[in-house]
Every structure is written in structure tokens, then in C-alpha cells.
Amino acid sequence: MGRQKEDVEALAVQLGWKVGKVYEENDTSAYRKKRIRLANGRSVWRVVRPEFRQMLQDYEDGVIDGIIVYDLDRLARQPRDLEDLIDLVDHFKRPVVGVTGALDLMTENGKAMARVLVAMANKASADTARRVARERLQRARDGRALPPNRAFGWKKDRRTLEIGEAAVLRQAILDFTAGETWTSAARKIMDSGFTPVGGGTWYLKTIKRMMTSPRVAGIASYYGSLHSVAKPPEGEPDEEFDDDEALPAEQEVAPSPRELALRDANGEYVRGQWEAIVTIEEWESLISETERRLEGVEFTSQGTRKYLLSGILRCARPREDGTLCNHAMTGIALKASKRNKARTVYHCQSPANGGCGNSQRDMKKLDQLIEDLLFLHLETNRPAEADQESEPVQGEAEAAKLEDVRHRLQMMRIGMRDGTTSPESFFAVVPGLEAQEKRLVAGLSKARRIRADRAQRLKTPEQVKADWIDATIPGRRALLGQYLQAIIVHPSQTRGRVFDHTTIVPVWKPMPQ
């Protein structure tokens, strides 16, 4: 870079120009594309070059009067980037020159030559990328691919577990699957005393990526040409702990953990040559829970309330017209008065808010009752075959077909890019493959969730009790959501502070068969 800068400055002196600003892109690829999500929800693939885009903006705004580059292939390797610059040159007529003399965008012949050279440079980069990606993919498929630096949870050999870190990461994964929020699960790692591998500060995005990586289950993954989004560095600054933050107008979209996990021809995960922190079943349960929360399924910790049973309780007091209230009851804290101590209760909201305003139950007593009823339900209704190994989910057999469809899609896209596939063939085949891919992904996702739900709901009462004891309110609400549809609160038949447990009727979900 130093020699190139000297040559650029020498040419500027020769032309009588003054170098006003230098746009350096030492660590930025001019070829590799990343998936970007637009404000309208659509995705595009673009080369992300902040300094190049800033140079174009300065050229357009008149901050600079011209551009000197060392050589054309230092300027652009994607035709789209070159065309953006040509459009500006056509309009503003400011010179763009190269030290090697292979660049002249002020004439039609120069533009044509530049287009040819960029196309050739693009193909050269594609050929190199394809060879490197194929070698990396083979290493990943053989389970030999290891990160260049050690990952959190493993020792410097990148194969053996660092027991303390691995235990903390495993517990965070299990806590989230049991119903904890991303924030509370991440806090377990942040408060453990361990720091990120490269030092610095923990960020929520970093911890999410660590927890959901296929690597934690000993599964080989691949970030190559099929998934061309580079992983951000572990210490990358991130937003505050807000699980519901909206996407910005444009955002780089990383591939999902399921897309990164490699499978063989039989649809089985490719195992890496390192120790796993969690089992494959535990990892799949984590990913299924992540997907469930993104889809907004009820009884997850997303937007969870402060009190255990808020929103789950349904008031069954009759209204004047004979119908039941059926309004959700929520928790509130009552202040102390001359006659009553401060306490927390569940109550039905006033008629102005859709309720009847006449139902109220002591929170502490009702929480304890539901906890007891949950464990009684598990002990008396657990299927006899729960201890037997469950049948494999039939949908998993479609994994190999999905991999084949994605491979064919990739070949069509590469052919379209390189000109070996005609547009007629591309648009005749690709829409059908994309529709097939969508159906297969949906089917596999559903099958995995069925298996994850079954595994969770067939836990022994002792396992659920252990999860319950360690869980926060969001975690306990999620556990209840595994087994409960609702809790009906009928009018009390007692007076005063006597708790009438007979009026509390839980509505249980059917146990898996």
C-alpha cells in the first residue's frame, strides 16, 4: 500500500494536482458480496465498500475534483461498482485516471476497455474464490475445519474443552431453551468472570452467535461461497440488550445456524474433530426455540410480563348478559393502607379496559398452587413410553433433498453470473427450485420443532423441577407454556382472605403420544 500511495502522489505532482484525501481499503474486499436486507424486507447481494462509496459521494458533492487510482483492479472488481462511477463521470465530467495508464473513463473507448478489464478481474477473482471455497468446503465436510483462533469454550488447540467456559456456555444454552430471555441467558456468561477470547467487552450479538453456532454441538459448519457473509469479530460493538429492536433500513443478513450446519449425503450432520459442549438434540432445541420466538408463538419469554401468571389466567365470572368475562387477569402490587398490608394480587381489569373488575386472587398463594398442580400433572400424566427412545422424525429424511436443491440453485446462479446459463433457462428453472426449497425448509423446521417439543415435554418431573428452581420468571412462564393452555379462575365461594383453590381450573395441553 505504501508504494502504491507514493506512485499516486507522484502522478498527482506530474498532473499538477493536489492530493486532498486518501481513501484506503486495506481490509475490504472489492469482490466478495454480502447479503443486505432492505427497508422493504427484500434482500440484495452487494459488495460492501464504505470508503469507495464515500469517495463516490465526495466526487458527486464536489469535495474532490478528480480521482487517481493505482490500477483499475484496485478501483473495482464488480461491474456494478464501475458503472456507478461511470454514471458520475458522464454527468460531472471530472477526470478519473490510473497510475498504470489502463484507466480512462472520459472517452467511450476507455469506458469499454474498463468494462472488459473489470469483467476479466471479476472472473479471475471468481475462479480463485471457487478453488479456495472448494478446498475449505472439503475440509469442513471432513470435519477438519477449525477456526484460526480458539473459540470461547475451547482451549488453544481448538479441540479440547476449556471446562469452566464450556460449562457457562452450556448452562446459558439450556437456560434459554428452558425459557430465559437472551438477556438473562447472556448475563450468566457476562457475570461468570470470563472475558471474550480476544479481550474487550461482551455484547449480546456476540453471545447469541456463540450460543447458536453449530460448533457448540460438534457440528461442522461452512461460511464459504454458499454463505458469503463474513462473521463479525467477536468483540464487535452491539446495541443494548433489546430483543425486539427493529431492523435498520439496510442490514447485513447472516445465514441461519441451520444453513451453516453441514450435512452429508444421508442428511446427517457432519461431525467436527473437536469436543462438543451440548448434544445435537440440545442444540436443535435451542434453534427451534429461537425460531419459535421470532414467529411470536405464545408463552415465550418475548415481551414477557413481570408476574408469573399474568395473561395466562382467564376470568370466568358471569357478566350481566350471562356470558363469561373471559378476560386475561394481570398482576398488580397493592399499596399498604390502614386496614391492609401491601401485597400483590392477580385481578381482572375494569370494564373500561375490557374486564369485569370483580375478580381478584392472592398472587403468592395462586403461584404456589399452580406450581404444585404442574408437578402433580407431570407425575400422573406422563406417558408410559416417555422413557423409551422416540422414533426419528420422518421429516429429517428430506434434509438430503434440500441440500441437493440448494446445490442446483447455486449452480444455476453461478452459471447465470458467468454467462454459461442463459436467462431463459435460469428463469424457467430457478423459481421452481426456490419454491421447492421453501417447502422443504418449512417441512424440516416443523419436524424438528415437533421433536424438540416432544423432548421438552417428556422430561421427567425431576428434570422439570430442576429447571423450575433455577429459572427466572420468564423461564418459568415458558415452562408453564409447554404444558398449559390457560388457567380458568371461577368466582370464589369463600369470604375474606380464605383462598378457594377449588375455583382454579388449569387447562392442560395434551401430552405427546
Side-chain angles (χ1 to χ4, degrees):
M1 180 62 190
R3 181 178 58 81
Q4 294 180 15
K5 185 176 179 181
E6 290 176 0
D7 291 345
V8 167
E9 291 174 344
L11 178 59
V13 172
Q14 180 181 343
L15 295 174
W17 293 8
K18 178 182 179 182
V19 176
K21 188 173 182 180
V22 177
Y23 302 86
E24 296 185 8
E25 286 187 333
N26 295 332
D27 300 319
T28 304
S29 172
Y31 168 75
R32 189 178 186 184
K33 296 180 181 178
K34 299 179 182 180
R35 185 183 176 190
I36 304 296
R37 181 169 296 163
L38 302 178
N40 61 5
R42 304 292 293 178
S43 295
V44 294
W45 278 258
R46 297 287 185 268
V47 173
V48 180
R49 302 177 61 190
E51 285 297 309
F52 177 78
R53 290 294 155 184
Q54 183 62 52
M55 182 182 70
L56 296 190
Q57 181 178 327
D58 290 346
Y59 182 94
E60 180 179 0
D61 294 342
V63 176
I64 56 179
D65 297 319
I67 296 173
I68 302 177
V69 298
Y70 182 77
D71 191 67
L72 180 59
D73 66 356
R74 301 294 91 192
L75 176 68
R77 283 180 175 253
Q78 290 291 346
R80 181 182 288 108
D81 288 346
L82 177 63
E83 294 301 328
D84 287 344
L85 178 56
I86 288 176
D87 289 342
L88 292 176
V89 173
D90 286 344
H91 183 78
F92 294 101
K93 308 299 183 183
R94 301 193 188 108
V96 178
V97 298
V99 172
T100 61
L103 181 61
D104 177 15
L105 299 184
M106 299 294 289
T107 66
E108 293 303 319
N109 288 339
K111 295 173 191 174
M113 181 58 68
R115 289 180 174 119
V116 171
L117 293 175
V118 166
M120 293 174 62
N122 183 271
K123 186 178 186 307
S125 295
D127 291 341
T128 301
R130 183 167 57 251
R131 290 193 296 269
V132 172
R134 185 66 186 85
E135 192 274 336
R136 289 178 178 173
L137 177 58
Q138 188 59 52
R139 288 179 57 84
R141 283 179 171 167
D142 294 341
R144 297 181 290 115
L146 293 171
N149 302 307
R150 88 168 185 94
F152 186 85
W154 287 269
K155 295 181 179 179
K156 290 183 178 180
D157 63 7
R158 298 165 291 168
R159 300 173 185 270
T160 310
L161 292 182
E162 184 69 51
I163 301 302
E165 293 180 353
V168 170
L169 182 54
R170 172 180 171 79
Q171 190 59 52
I173 291 171
L174 298 180
D175 288 346
F176 179 82
T177 305
E180 299 283 358
T181 63
W182 280 118
T183 301
S184 58
R187 288 291 179 192
K188 303 288 180 67
I189 296 176
M190 296 176 66
D191 297 340
S192 66
F194 295 109
T195 58
V197 172
T201 304
W202 283 116
Y203 296 100
L204 180 59
K205 188 182 296 183
T206 303
I207 296 175
K208 281 184 181 180
R209 192 162 45 245
M210 276 190 343
M211 291 172 59
T212 58
S213 169
R215 178 180 173 82
V216 299
I219 301 172
S221 56
Y222 180 61
Y223 289 83
S225 60
L226 296 180
H227 313 292
S228 58
V229 179
K231 290 193 297 182
E234 187 173 77
E236 174 187 308
D238 191 24
E239 70 279 358
E240 294 298 322
F241 291 96
D242 184 359
D243 289 334
D244 300 319
E245 183 173 346
L247 287 170
E250 292 189 3
Q251 177 177 350
E252 184 178 327
V253 181
S256 71
R258 291 199 195 279
E259 292 176 335
L260 296 175
L262 279 178
R263 293 177 180 270
D264 58 24
N266 297 321
E268 300 296 328
Y269 288 119
V270 177
R271 305 306 302 271
Q273 298 177 1
W274 57 83
E275 297 180 14
I277 293 178
V278 297
T279 66
I280 289 179
E281 290 72 21
E282 289 169 336
W283 179 77
E284 287 191 327
S285 296
L286 168 73
I287 302 305
S288 294
E289 179 63 18
T290 301
E291 294 170 345
R292 187 204 310 276
R293 298 189 190 191
L294 288 174
E295 293 175 2
V297 179
E298 64 177 345
F299 291 136
T300 69
S301 57
Q302 288 288 83
T304 191
R305 295 179 172 86
K306 182 178 180 180
Y307 302 109
L308 179 64
L309 303 178
S310 289
I312 304 176
L313 301 170
R314 311 297 294 191
C315 176
R317 182 175 293 275
R319 296 180 183 270
E320 293 182 359
D321 60 2
T323 61
L324 297 182
C325 173
N326 197 36
H327 194 270
M329 299 176 65
T330 56
I332 59 170
L334 300 178
K335 296 181 180 180
S337 64
K338 293 182 179 180
R339 298 180 56 183
N340 299 309
K341 295 181 180 180
R343 60 195 180 105
T344 50
V345 299
Y346 294 109
H347 82 125
C348 185
Q349 295 182 333
S350 65
N353 293 315
C356 66
N358 295 320
S359 292
Q360 182 173 294
R361 291 293 188 279
D362 183 271
M363 184 180 296
K364 183 177 180 180
K365 295 178 180 179
L366 185 50
D367 286 352
Q368 186 60 56
L369 174 63
I370 295 303
E371 179 180 339
D372 294 340
L373 291 176
L374 170 64
F375 297 135
L376 178 63
H377 172 72
L378 294 176
E379 292 169 357
T380 57
N381 294 283
R382 191 165 181 263
E385 67 273 17
D387 294 321
Q388 301 176 5
E389 185 175 353
S390 60
E391 293 294 326
V393 180
Q394 185 176 1
E396 290 294 343
E398 301 297 310
K401 186 182 295 184
L402 175 61
E403 184 176 3
D404 177 65
V405 169
R406 284 178 169 167
H407 176 72
R408 289 159 61 192
L409 272 171
Q410 182 69 7
M411 292 301 98
M412 292 295 294
R413 289 163 180 158
I414 291 175
M416 184 66 173
R417 182 195 67 194
D418 295 344
T420 58
T421 300
S422 68
E424 292 79 11
S425 298
F426 182 85
F427 289 107
V429 174
V430 167
L433 289 176
E434 289 177 337
Q436 189 176 0
E437 178 189 31
K438 186 175 182 180
R439 288 194 300 270
L440 288 170
V441 169
L444 278 173
S445 180
K446 181 179 179 180
R448 288 166 181 153
R449 291 179 194 180
I450 290 173
R451 184 168 68 183
D453 287 346
R454 178 181 175 83
Q456 172 64 33
R457 295 177 62 198
L458 289 183
K459 284 185 175 181
T460 66
E462 291 73 21
Q463 290 173 319
V464 178
K465 285 181 181 178
D467 292 342
W468 183 273
I469 291 172
D470 295 334
T472 60
I473 293 298
R476 293 185 175 186
R477 282 178 60 84
L479 278 173
L480 288 177
Q482 293 286 339
Y483 306 98
L484 272 171
Q485 291 183 344
I487 303 171
I488 308 301
V489 181
H490 293 280
S492 177
Q493 303 300 315
T494 60
R495 295 183 177 181
R497 297 291 181 85
V498 179
F499 186 80
D500 187 359
H501 67 276
T502 62
T503 62
I504 308 301
V505 181
V507 181
W508 303 103
K509 294 179 179 178
M511 294 295 285
Q513 298 301 317

